Amino acid sequence: MAVFSRNSAAPSSRAPSGNAVNAPMQIRPEFFRRECTQFWATTYTFEPAVFEDLLLPYLAPSARATVLVDARHLAATWDALAAEPERLRRANRRYLVRGVEAPGRAFHAKTYLFAGEEALFLLVGSGNLSFSGILAGRETFAAYDSREAEGLLALTAWSQWMTRIVSSLDEELLTDRWRLLQDLIPHQHQELGQSEFVHNADHSLLAQLSARLGPPVDKLIVMAPFHDRDLSA
């Protein structure tokens, strides 16, 4: 599994994959390449200025970009920028941004999909679509390539999860964009194997991890900036 972190080299012209890269790499704006025709992101927090000024220009002008943000955080972002409308030059014009509600919890997933005609690349990790999360933070991401079996499983599982999110929002423009992206995803038509991409919409991550490992588990090491003692999140 490829891991992206702060203090390392820039990505090569070919996106990293589970089997191709062993050393850590840094997420840089160059990852938003002109070959990318569609970009989808899910994030807890969102900084429009960072995306618009530092990342969006790397995409081709015709590329479709869609950003899904935790609804409460997105509302707070719009409120904070209400007095400075010039800082929202391209939102819902050059790219689409929508809020996602997760009743009783936060929409906390950070995933980034880069889709092109020849391949798709999915990043799943800890960095929000913000300066500290993408450009300056000490975050890690796993990278998946649709041209590899492991990557195809992850992309299929991500696609199934995203279909549920898009359906729950029930918006025509977002649904149309999702259909265009689905045409590029080479779905795994046989019974889905054990994908590395998991979510907690139905079952807790701890339960899924335990089921995969099987008893006994002698030690569990977790790295996180926050500690939720009661696992309420």
Side-chain angles (χ1 to χ4, degrees):
M1 179 184 298
V3 177
F4 290 68
S5 63
R6 183 180 180 188
N7 298 317
S8 49
S12 63
S13 59
R14 182 180 186 276
S17 63
N19 297 327
V21 178
N22 295 319
M25 301 183 73
Q26 181 182 22
I27 293 182
R28 297 178 61 86
E30 290 83 353
F31 200 85
F32 290 69
R33 293 189 301 277
R34 294 281 167 165
E35 293 82 1
C36 176
T37 60
Q38 293 206 48
F39 168 75
W40 279 67
T42 64
T43 180
Y44 180 55
T45 62
F46 175 53
E47 294 179 4
V50 171
F51 182 60
E52 294 178 6
D53 295 341
L54 301 181
L55 300 176
L56 190 61
Y58 283 86
L59 294 176
S62 60
R64 295 182 177 89
T66 304
V67 181
L68 303 181
V69 189
D70 177 80
R72 286 175 293 181
H73 268 274
L74 183 60
T77 298
W78 292 158
D79 289 343
L81 297 175
E84 303 175 86
E86 69 278 0
R87 295 180 61 186
L88 295 173
R89 299 185 300 275
R90 303 184 186 93
N92 292 319
R93 294 180 178 86
R94 171 64 180 85
Y95 65 96
L96 191 67
V97 57
R98 292 291 185 267
V100 179
E101 294 185 358
R105 66 180 76 178
F107 182 67
H108 214 263
K110 293 94 171 178
T111 68
Y112 303 94
L113 183 80
F114 302 83
E117 295 296 332
E118 297 183 359
L120 294 87
F121 306 100
L122 174 66
L123 304 183
V124 182
S126 60
N128 287 300
L129 193 48
S130 62
F131 185 83
S132 61
I134 294 295
L135 300 173
R138 297 183 180 275
E139 312 292 347
T140 59
F141 287 82
Y144 300 98
D145 186 331
S146 65
R147 295 169 294 187
E148 299 174 354
E150 182 181 275
L152 185 54
L153 281 174
L155 278 159
T156 301
W158 180 88
S159 175
Q160 293 173 349
W161 170 72
M162 183 56 66
T163 295
R164 294 173 59 175
I165 294 173
V166 172
S167 297
S168 71
L169 294 175
D170 192 23
E171 181 188 309
E172 184 176 359
L173 180 57
L174 186 65
T175 300
D176 289 344
R177 284 200 171 201
W178 177 238
R179 287 171 180 162
L180 290 172
L181 177 60
Q182 283 186 304
D183 291 340
L184 297 177
I185 300 177
H187 291 278
Q188 191 81 292
H189 294 291
Q190 64 265 36
E191 183 178 352
L192 186 63
Q194 192 174 75
S195 168
E196 291 185 0
F197 179 85
V198 295
H199 57 77
N200 63 352
D202 303 309
H203 306 286
S204 73
L205 298 180
L206 182 60
Q208 295 178 71
L209 179 61
S210 299
R212 292 190 179 200
L213 293 177
V217 176
D218 298 320
K219 182 184 293 186
L220 175 64
I221 300 175
V222 178
M223 295 184 295
F226 309 106
H227 176 50
D228 182 6
R229 184 179 297 275
D230 298 323
L231 298 179
S232 58

